[in-house]
Amino acid sequence: MTLRCLLVDDNQHFLLAARDLLEREGLTVAATAEDSAGALGRAAELHPDVALVDINLGGESGFDLAARLAPIPVIMISTHSGEDYADLIAASPAIGFLSKIELSAIAVRDLVAAR
Amino acid sequence: MDDAETLVQLRRLALLVAQGVPPEEVFAAVCKEIWRHFGGSTARLFRYELDGTVTLLANEGTTGPHVRVGERWEGYPPAGLTASVQRTGKIGRINDFRELPGGQKYADEGLISAVGMPIHANGRLWGMIAVGSSEGRLPDDTEARMAAFTELCAIAVANAQSRAELVSSRARLVAAADEARRQIERDLHDGAQQRLVALALRLRSVTDADGAAEVAADLMTVIDELRELSRGIHPAVLSDSGLRPALRALARRSPLPVEIDVRLDARLPSAVEIGVYYVVSEVLTNAVKHANATVVLVEVSVGEDVLELCVRDDGVGGADPSRGSGLVGLTDRIAALGGTIEVASPPGGGTTITCRVPV
Ligand SMILES: Nc1ncnc2c1ncn2[C@@H]1O[C@H](COP(=O)(O)OP(=O)(O)OP(=O)(O)O)[C@@H](O)[C@H]1O
Ligand SMILES: [Mg+2]
């Protein structure tokens, strides 16, 4: 079964490129959202298997959103290095972290499977 | 009062200033020492503000409803001490408040006579120290005795104030530098970095020449963005070619016509070049944002050991540094170079910024 994911990022260029790439690599991107309210709405509607959430959503915190998306598993993403946020990621309900540049369908699947 | 005691008094003040206590405390202490020194009934310290108003900084002795320390001193008669010292910059004397038109409220406090000494600091009339007596006419030698003592007090007062200004300007400079770095990080992260990440992902799914051409075109816009950003951090033309070409480049990019006259033969210390560049840059931005001007004139010339910069627009005027952070930031920056900056901006009369920096 293909994994259905929700992409949350405040940058449109990234949303478009990431959606393209992940779909090409065999995931289904059920929806994208640019802020917390949009993400919560789409999640309630579509029940994705996993959400990819940018740590920094403009003025909003991706970690706060991750907590509110429960029980949907969340992978935090960022252009920043994961090391900077290691403590916050460990303390959050997120199942893992992916640097945006390393984003791939395999990496998402691995994290979901390892949960 | 003998010399030994005078010395003790002055030493106390000097210590206070050196400790960096808030200026209000120094003002109160100076006032008290003067009151003690002259054994009068009242001592008062005033500051003449740049906008022509007067502030009562400290009071010791008699008082009345018009005596409100820290507030504006109002309703003073044109022939009284406050007004005459403000007008002449010289010592003033009132021998009998009961005979002074508008002097009744001072007589009501119990004052009969008073002498006011101007305080000069940084080349301008800064304030006044006044001593009043309820006993009768102050003795004829009061002026002479006050001159020597108040000169020393004036130094304490002016030092306390410039020290406080220095502390806050230093804090503002550091805060402005921190904020600028934060802004650069945000611009880099939200802009070029995000675009590059998206492009890297897109490259991984590119399958044909058209896709590659699209990515290449987007890369060009990221490069443009980075160039703009690095110019904002520091204009390269300024460090490699100096002020004249850097200012001309600024002028070319401005949406307003800018007439520029830079009379300058040699390179200047880089701190000065950067300071002047940022003054012109901010003032041009302001002229575009606020002035509704049709033209801006920029003149730079270097004399013996001072650089003079003048930027003038023909817009609506009414610039007020307290409404933003740009003009205050320039004042701090130029002060850090040991220079001065003046803003003249009468409503309807355009805005002129004059700046002098030692070189
Ligand atoms: N050339 C001008 N003509 C008319 N009004 C001006 C001019 N320059 C400044 N002002 C007024 O003075 C105020 C203070 O200017 P200042 O540059 O300090 O702040 P700002 O431009 O509003 O914001 P910023 O902190 O981004 O510079 C402005 O808000 C504007 O109302
Ligand atoms: Mg401004």
Side-chain angles (χ1 to χ4, degrees), chain B residues 282 285-286 289-290 325-327:
Chain B
E282 168 64 23
T285 307
N286 278 352
K289 260 201 312 195
H290 310 294
S325 60
L327 291 172

Side-chain angles (χ1 to χ4, degrees), chain B residues 167-249:
Chain B
V167 168
S168 55
S169 121
R170 195 185 283 161
R172 279 194 307 264
L173 277 172
V174 173
D178 289 348
E179 174 52 30
R181 292 164 72 119
R182 215 166 58 94
Q183 184 65 46
I184 292 165
E185 190 280 331
R186 220 175 324 164
D187 288 349
L188 268 177
H189 175 260
D190 295 350
Q193 202 180 2
Q194 297 280 8
R195 301 284 296 271
L196 285 174
V197 167
L199 285 173
L201 296 189
R202 270 177 51 199
L203 261 183
R204 276 164 48 196
S205 38
V206 160
T207 49
D208 56 6
D210 283 355
E214 260 176 51
V215 170
D218 274 11
L219 268 176
M220 297 309 287
T221 62
V222 178
I223 292 169
D224 283 344
E225 195 179 316
L226 280 175
R227 188 174 42 220
E228 283 304 310
L229 195 62
S230 58
R231 178 162 51 213
I233 296 169
H234 182 88
V237 57
L238 181 59
S239 26
D240 36 69
S241 311
L243 207 44
R244 194 207 314 258
L247 292 182
R248 301 193 77 86

Side-chain angles (χ1 to χ4, degrees), chain B residues 104-142:
Chain B
Q104 190 55 42
K105 58 185 165 188
Y106 312 117
D108 289 346
E109 316 175 32
L111 290 174
I112 294 175
S113 69
V115 169
M117 287 285 308
I119 302 173
H120 292 278
N122 304 325
R124 73 175 187 95
L125 179 65
W126 185 90
M128 172 180 74
I129 292 174
V131 168
S133 165
S134 311
E135 311 285 295
R137 193 175 183 281
L138 278 161
D140 286 342
D141 67 350
T142 308

